[in-house]
Amino acid sequence: MQPGRHNTLPWNDLQDFLAVARAGQIARAAALIGVDATTIGRRLRRLEARLGHTLFEQTREGQVLTEAGEALLAQVEQMQNAAERIVESRHGPETLAGLLRVSVSEGFGTWLIAEHLHDFAAAHPALTIDLAASSGFLSPSRREADVAVLLARPRHGPVVAGKLSDYRLHLYAARARVERLGMPTRHALGTVHPLIGYIPDLLYAPELRYLDEIGPLPPPTLRSSSINAQARLVASGAGVGVLPHFIGAADPALVRVLPEVTITRSFWLVTHRDTRQLRRVRAFCDWLGDLVARFRPQLLDTA
């Protein structure tokens, strides 16, 4: 063995440690960074052996940092921040490069961001962009995402948050269903017209409990964790469901029912306080702010 070789710490091991520290689970970290969980576990054991400290405690929920792990995390995050700034500086002040990971709700990500992200990508071809648009969010506070659009302002964590926009939701049904059975009344919801909604125990945010605000109604009998699946169920004529206006009004096959029902929610733009000044993060936040300003009438039902 070469002198001093045992004292070196491979950067891959440190990056895997960082991913597990942020994700809280080896399996979740493996999915986020695209490395096999067995490989991550082996690298963590090697890192602990070289440092002479246990970095994580195994719990039922996953991996929890020990005191030594907390101390290492602070140092590795500084190294990661420095590495990200080096990547940016290599490409000059006018070029954005590196990886930008954005976490958004499925509906907002699919119906607004994905429709226009090619504009931002074309302007910054050296940038790799991950758009995580799913039923759930990656956490900026754990550095799982560089930018997140959340349904509520985070109450804690090393993040900076600001309201992006309010948006409105209404009840919708298929136009063909309304023509066949008539305009739904409140009393017909859940009987003549089945209700479509979220699966209660799979809700990833309390803000998605839309039907609770409409009044006493039978529970939905057609349920999905996906707002896009719910929109397709409504459009197929399966029943009545709550959809964001920017989804419902964009589909000519849908018609708004019970027009007196309006639900308001908010999108919050969240970044980590240590990386929000990276040029690629600032550029995307500026672009997203401009995009939302252009489409605010569709978000707020004022078009």
Side-chain angles (χ1 to χ4, degrees), residues 137-191:
F137 296 103
L138 303 180
S139 171
S141 66
R142 295 199 299 267
R143 297 285 298 279
E144 295 174 344
D146 299 297
V147 180
V149 179
L150 306 182
L151 301 181
R153 183 170 194 159
R155 296 183 179 180
H156 52 78
V159 296
V160 177
K163 183 183 284 191
L164 188 60
S165 179
D166 290 334
Y167 66 102
R168 309 268 194 261
L169 305 101
H170 309 296
L171 283 164
Y172 289 91
R175 190 176 301 275
R177 182 183 185 89
V178 171
E179 292 172 352
R180 186 175 74 252
L181 298 175
M183 183 64 70
T185 65
R186 188 178 290 268
H187 295 296
L189 295 181
T191 54

Side-chain angles (χ1 to χ4, degrees), residues 189-190 193-200 211-212 217-224 230 240-241:
L189 295 181
H193 299 281
L195 283 169
I196 296 167
Y198 281 99
I199 303 170
L211 293 174
D212 294 349
L217 292 172
T221 53
L222 287 168
R223 309 187 303 190
S224 175
Q230 291 179 43
V240 174

Side-chain angles (χ1 to χ4, degrees), residues 228-242:
N228 288 337
Q230 291 179 43
R232 299 314 305 154
L233 283 167
V234 174
S236 74
V240 174
V242 175

Side-chain angles (χ1 to χ4, degrees), residues 118-140:
H118 62 277
D119 294 332
F120 183 78
H124 307 290
L127 194 62
T128 298
I129 305 168
D130 288 350
L131 180 63
S134 59
S135 299
F137 296 103
L138 303 180
S139 171

